[in-house]
């Protein structure tokens, strides 16, 4: 049985697996644009003329902007995956334990275990709420 945090973590990891090749392609594009730009600048210095056929098709600034966008996405997905993993570990600590009937003394002991389990679950939920609140406040901050 999967928990919501495990599902979110799997989704995040799936998105991360898709984002890494895009990041590689973006880096490759930056390197290509930089090489084209450098070649164009050297040709201008050597010949003193502009050769329209050798002009770079994309500016280095636009290529870098796209690369940084992919870097930010990968960083965000990594942080989200770590947060999902922490929430999953917390929710595993406070998994509810069933109460089964028996003799009167066993029922009292089971009821006490049940109350302790409820207390652990409430504490776990408080920690999850605090974690989610921290994540929400972090997400509401502007990215650098």
């Amino acid at each position: 049985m999967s928990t919501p945090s495990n599902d979110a973590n799997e989704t995040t990891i799936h998105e991360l697996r898709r984002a890494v090749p895009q990041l590689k392609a973006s880096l490759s594009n930056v390197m290509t644009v930089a090489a084209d730009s450098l070649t164009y600048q050297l040709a201008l210095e050597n010949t003193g003329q502009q050769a329209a056929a050798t002009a770079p098709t994309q500016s280095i600034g636009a290529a870098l902007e796209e690369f940084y966008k992919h870097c930010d996405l990968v960083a965000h997905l990594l942080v989200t995956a770590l947060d999902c993993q922490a929430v999953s570990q917390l929710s595993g600590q406070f998994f509810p334990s069933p109460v089964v009937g028996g003799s009167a003394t066993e029922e009292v002991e089971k009821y006490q275990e049940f109350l302790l389990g409820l207390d652990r679950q409430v504490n776990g939920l408080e920690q999850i709420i605090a974690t989610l609140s921290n994540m929400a406040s972090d997400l509401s901050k502007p990215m650098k």
Side-chain angles (χ1 to χ4, degrees):
M1 182 166 113
S2 62
T3 62
S5 59
N6 283 343
D7 292 342
N9 198 21
E10 289 173 12
T11 302
T12 302
I13 290 172
H14 179 69
E15 289 177 21
L16 185 61
R17 286 183 179 155
R18 285 188 307 177
V20 169
Q22 293 173 352
L23 178 65
K24 285 181 179 180
S26 179
L27 177 60
S28 175
N29 184 44
V30 167
M31 299 303 287
T32 302
V33 169
D36 290 347
S37 180
L38 184 60
T39 303
Y40 179 71
Q41 291 298 324
L42 288 173
L44 282 178
E45 288 177 11
N46 290 339
T47 62
Q49 300 174 352
Q50 289 187 351
T54 61
T57 57
Q58 185 181 14
S59 73
I60 188 73
L64 282 172
E65 186 175 326
E66 180 183 341
F67 174 71
Y68 289 139
K69 179 183 76 170
H70 288 290
C71 287
D72 290 343
L73 175 64
V74 168
H76 171 72
L77 290 171
L78 287 170
V79 168
T80 303
L82 289 173
D83 289 341
C84 286
Q85 183 181 14
V87 168
S88 178
Q89 288 174 346
L90 278 176
S91 65
Q93 286 179 337
F94 306 105
F95 193 78
S97 56
V99 176
V100 292
S103 69
T105 13
E106 287 177 358
E107 287 183 17
V108 168
E109 289 173 1
K110 294 290 183 180
Y111 185 68
Q112 289 172 347
E113 288 177 26
F114 174 73
L115 291 178
L116 288 173
L118 283 179
D119 187 48
R120 285 193 308 262
Q121 290 176 34
V122 168
N123 289 335
L125 289 174
E126 289 172 348
Q127 290 178 1
I128 290 170
I129 289 169
T131 301
L132 291 174
S133 296
N134 290 339
M135 288 172 51
S137 66
D138 289 346
L139 290 175
S140 65
K141 293 178 185 174
M143 294 182 81
K144 294 179 182 177

